[in-house]
């Protein structure tokens, strides 16, 4: 825990020294920038592929990521029900670049969301998944810099998100032919 | 709150249209192209994404909790916007890009299902004219 706080205080000590970095981090940690960017990358993947087979592979990866996100949200909700950790700004004097969220700091929900989506894609599309993992890392590291999460919060959240997407990746094929039926139904209305 | 919802909806819709144009220009789904030129479609896609993002983040303070779209609200809004953007691309773009359809080059063989059936022809000629030769 001492290392956790030390890393937080060290990172947050840079706030106010480089205004351009503070502005960039403020944008990166906003509730809209990274999640929307990740979602747009998934929209792009949904339509990419030079053949129907390639496109279907991408669409199944998007499904993995979406189901993984659902699992991760469920896991975080259950954990928050049993464990509450105050935000770092409650216990320490920090320079905040973000509003003060009232919910539990542990585990970080944005980290769970970001890593669930990125891992779901990375399992079958390494390059795009790598870009998404980098974005998820920026989002979550930025939250530590901005003073709203401890490092252990984002590590735990990221691990939960990644694990949930790995589970979804293994789980969805077990539901066949369900996913294929859904995909074919979407094809009939030009959504896939 | 309602204003933020509509602002985010507009952002997500326009950015999704842009992402779709970028992707289909690379994947060769010509029935969804806004123009006959893939480079122009990519440029339009990038402009739609960049322009809508700039407008959304510059038009208000997005780092405040009041108002705020919670994660599930944001996800639902984005999904709705992406679906509407898909249908707008499938059904509306061919109506405004008739010039392109007249000038379309010889098309590769078409698939038969969903988006793949729009690889070489738009939605409307297929439905209304039964024309398999493309635009």
């Amino acid at each position: 825990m001492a290392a956790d706080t030390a890393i937080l205080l060290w990172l947050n000590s840079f706030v106010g020294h480089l205004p351009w970095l503070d502005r960039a981090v403020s944008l990166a940690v906003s509730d809209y920038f990274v999640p929307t960017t990740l979602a747009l990358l998934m929209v792009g993947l949904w339509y990419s592929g030079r053949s129907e087979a390639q496109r279907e592979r991408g669409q199944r990866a998007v499904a993995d990521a979406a189901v993984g996100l659902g699992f991760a949200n469920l896991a975080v909700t259950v954990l928050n029900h049993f464990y509450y950790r105050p935000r770092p700004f409650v216990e320490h004097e920090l320079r905040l670049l973000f509003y003060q969220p009232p919910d539990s700091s542990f585990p970080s929900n944005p980290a769970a969301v970001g890593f669930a989506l990125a891992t779901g894609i990375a399992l079958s599309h390494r390059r795009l998944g790598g870009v998404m993992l980098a974005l998820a890392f920026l989002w979550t590291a930025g939250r530590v810099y901005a003073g709203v999460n401890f490092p252990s919060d984002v590590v735990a959240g990221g691990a939960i998100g990644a694990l949930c997407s790995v589970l979804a990746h293994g789980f969805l094929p077990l539901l066949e032919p369900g996913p294929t039926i859904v995909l074919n139904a979407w094809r009939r209305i030009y959504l896939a | 709150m309602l204003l933020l919802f509509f602002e985010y909806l507009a952002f997500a819709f326009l950015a999704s249209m842009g992402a779709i144009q970028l992707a289909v220009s690379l994947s060769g789904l010509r029935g969804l192209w806004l123009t006959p030129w893939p480079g122009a479609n990519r440029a339009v896609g990038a402009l739609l994404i960049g322009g809508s993002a700039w407008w959304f983040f510059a038009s208000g303070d997005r780092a405040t909790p009041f108002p705020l779209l919670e994660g599930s609200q944001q996800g639902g809004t984005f999904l709705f916007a992406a679906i509407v953007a898909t249908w707008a691309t499938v059904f509306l773009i061919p109506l405004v890009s008739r010039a392109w359809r007249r000038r379309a080059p010889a098309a590769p063989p078409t698939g038969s299902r969903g988006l793949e059936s729009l690889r070489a022809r738009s939605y409307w000629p297929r439905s209304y004219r039964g024309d398999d030769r493309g635009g």
Side-chain angles (χ1 to χ4, degrees):
Chain A
M1 281 301 172
D4 205 26
T5 303
I7 294 170
L8 165 75
L9 295 176
W10 177 72
L11 271 177
N12 189 253
S13 69
F14 291 100
V15 173
H17 294 292
L18 295 169
W20 62 268
L21 181 62
D22 292 351
R23 276 197 296 275
V25 172
S26 293
L27 178 67
V29 301
S30 90
D31 289 312
Y32 307 98
F33 185 76
V34 172
T36 305
T37 305
L38 293 175
L40 286 173
L41 288 171
M42 288 163 60
V43 168
L45 179 61
W46 189 267
Y47 288 89
S48 69
R50 293 230 156 242
S51 65
E52 187 172 30
Q54 277 184 5
R55 193 170 315 107
E56 181 173 330
R57 196 167 146 258
Q59 289 166 350
R60 287 182 185 272
V62 172
D64 287 346
V67 173
L69 172 65
F71 287 169
N73 272 330
L74 185 66
V76 170
T77 302
V78 170
L79 273 169
N80 284 345
H81 190 70
F82 292 105
Y83 178 71
Y84 178 86
R85 183 186 200 183
R87 294 278 175 174
F89 50 76
V90 174
E91 299 170 350
H92 304 282
E93 198 167 310
L94 300 170
R95 281 176 279 197
L96 293 181
L97 290 175
F98 197 70
Y99 63 86
Q100 300 186 356
D103 55 342
S104 176
S105 189
F106 183 94
S108 163
N109 195 34
V113 169
F115 280 90
L117 293 178
T119 305
I121 301 302
L123 287 169
S124 55
H125 293 73
R126 297 250 167 102
R127 208 165 359 162
L128 181 64
V131 171
M132 292 176 69
L133 283 168
L135 277 169
F137 176 79
L138 279 178
W139 190 19
T140 54
R143 289 180 69 87
V144 179
Y145 178 88
V148 288
N149 277 116
F150 289 99
S152 57
D153 301 336
V154 298
V155 169
I160 289 169
L163 181 66
C164 286
S165 276
V166 170
L167 287 175
H169 184 67
F171 175 69
L172 277 179
L174 301 177
L175 298 181
E176 286 295 348
T180 301
I181 290 171
V182 171
L183 205 52
N184 284 334
W186 282 39
R187 284 191 180 111
R188 276 196 283 277
I189 53 174
Y190 290 90
L191 284 177
Chain B
M1 173 69 185
L2 200 60
L3 179 64
L4 175 65
F5 166 75
F6 282 114
E7 285 176 343
Y8 186 73
L9 184 66
F11 166 43
F13 171 75
L14 292 172
S16 294
M17 293 281 284
I20 291 169
Q21 283 306 307
L22 274 173
V24 298
S25 70
L26 293 169
S27 63
L29 288 175
R30 293 182 188 177
L32 304 181
W33 285 6
L34 185 60
T35 78
W37 307 285
N41 293 329
R42 284 196 281 277
V44 169
L47 270 174
L48 278 169
I49 294 171
S52 60
W54 182 83
W55 165 76
F56 178 76
F57 287 102
S59 64
D61 185 1
R62 305 305 179 193
T64 62
F66 306 109
L68 173 72
L69 283 181
E70 296 288 344
S72 56
Q73 295 169 326
Q74 191 184 143
T77 305
F78 186 92
L79 182 63
F80 176 72
I83 288 173
V84 173
T86 297
W87 282 334
T89 302
V90 170
F91 302 126
L92 296 184
I93 279 185
L95 296 178
V96 297
S97 60
R98 297 186 69 85
W100 161 69
R101 288 194 283 118
R102 279 196 295 274
R103 295 195 307 184
T110 56
S112 58
R113 299 185 302 171
L115 296 175
E116 188 61 25
S117 69
L118 305 177
R119 178 164 292 282
R121 58 191 176 192
S122 67
Y123 175 80
W124 292 111
R126 182 174 174 241
S127 289
Y128 285 99
R129 298 197 299 218
D131 184 354
D132 275 349
R133 292 170 300 173

